[in-house]
Amino acid sequence: MSKIAIVTDSTAYLDQETIEQYQIKVLPLSVNFGEETIEETNLGYEKFYDKMRSFPDLPTTSQPALGHFIETYEQLARDHDAILSFHLSSGISGTFQTAVSAARSIEHAKVYPFDSEISCEPQAFFIREAAQMIEDGKDVDEIFKRLSEVRETLQAYFIVDDLNHLHRGGRLSGAQRLIGSALKIKPILTFENKVIVPYEKVRTYKRALQRVLSFLDQSASEGKQINASVIHANALPEAERIQKEIQEKYDNVTVSISYFGPVIGTHLGENSIGVTWYESN
């Protein structure tokens, strides 16, 4: 039986228990505050949002170096036959392509870079499914078959609190930002073709959230088991409120709370909320 290792980048925002349980290697992306560069694994999300609030410009982000990938893969190749490497969407970062480049230089194990086509907790969904299957003795082909099934039912929607972050990060034009801010529009965002796109524009946060939860209702009403998560950008009380609402409404939905860490939070901004889910086995 082949030994399979898992690598991911830090934007999956895995909890430490999962990392240790499945011996997952995490390659950190970084946030740059001017000349100061901090790996996001060394910057808790609360501290990050405090720092971003007081920083005059929008921070920038950077991916792990190619050498970091190669070093990690070579280390794992000593004891593993295969390495599954999960990364945030290639449409918003070059991290996945760096993984592909690094994989070509590894001789003693087969490296399988996996483009999650998304980030944060949805990226973690793929990782946990794969990790459990490895623990259950499944092979690479069986794992990728299941990951394809997860992708088919995976949905994720985000509501941003402040349009300025999307504008400054190049996601909205100046005109869209000004009109949206004047009308107090709360855009619902999603990932489409590997990039963040506006899905709908709603006048208030309350209506936007109701709309997102209506999408979840469509999936949950079919009666299948759903694995869901409420993602927040330093808005834990609101995430807990939404989690409770979902838990009380559905017997077939397991819902956790996760967060938008520094790299993704740079582009979405504080107080953003997301809801994501897929059909579990």
Side-chain angles (χ1 to χ4, degrees), residues 159-168 172 177 181 185-187 267-272:
I159 306 165
V160 298
D161 184 62
D162 185 353
L163 291 170
N164 284 307
H165 290 277
L166 285 167
H167 168 61
R168 291 162 72 189
L172 283 178
R177 176 184 64 85
S181 297
I185 284 174
K186 298 294 183 184
H267 302 290
L268 295 184
E270 192 170 17
N271 295 319
S272 296

Side-chain angles (χ1 to χ4, degrees), residues 50-153:
D50 287 342
K51 192 173 180 69
M52 186 169 70
R53 216 178 295 123
S54 61
F55 192 67
D57 301 311
L58 187 71
T60 59
T61 58
S62 52
Q63 67 186 54
L66 175 63
H68 198 172
F69 275 92
I70 293 173
E71 181 183 354
T72 300
Y73 291 160
E74 287 180 340
Q75 180 185 24
L76 291 170
R78 297 174 193 148
D79 303 311
H80 297 85
D81 305 305
I83 301 167
L84 307 185
S85 197
F86 294 83
H87 300 291
L88 77 163
S89 176
S90 60
I92 62 172
S93 171
T95 304
F96 170 74
Q97 192 55 51
T98 302
V100 172
S101 299
R104 296 192 186 109
S105 68
I106 306 303
E107 297 179 353
H108 302 295
K110 176 66 174 174
V111 181
Y112 298 86
F114 182 85
D115 186 351
S116 72
E117 302 183 7
I118 199 162
S119 189
C120 300
E121 187 63 13
Q123 181 179 332
F125 286 158
F126 290 114
I127 296 167
R128 291 194 189 94
E129 286 279 342
Q132 187 56 56
M133 291 185 74
I134 291 170
E135 195 168 86
D136 293 341
K138 306 299 183 182
D139 61 29
V140 170
D141 288 341
E142 291 173 301
I143 292 169
F144 274 100
K145 182 177 183 295
R146 174 58 188 153
L147 296 182
S148 294
E149 293 171 353
V150 171
R151 198 189 294 280
E152 287 175 6
T153 64

Side-chain angles (χ1 to χ4, degrees), residues 26-40:
V26 179
L27 299 174
L29 277 76
S30 299
V31 179
N32 311 302
F33 290 92
E35 299 298 316
E36 183 184 15
T37 296
I38 308 173
E39 291 183 349
E40 68 170 346

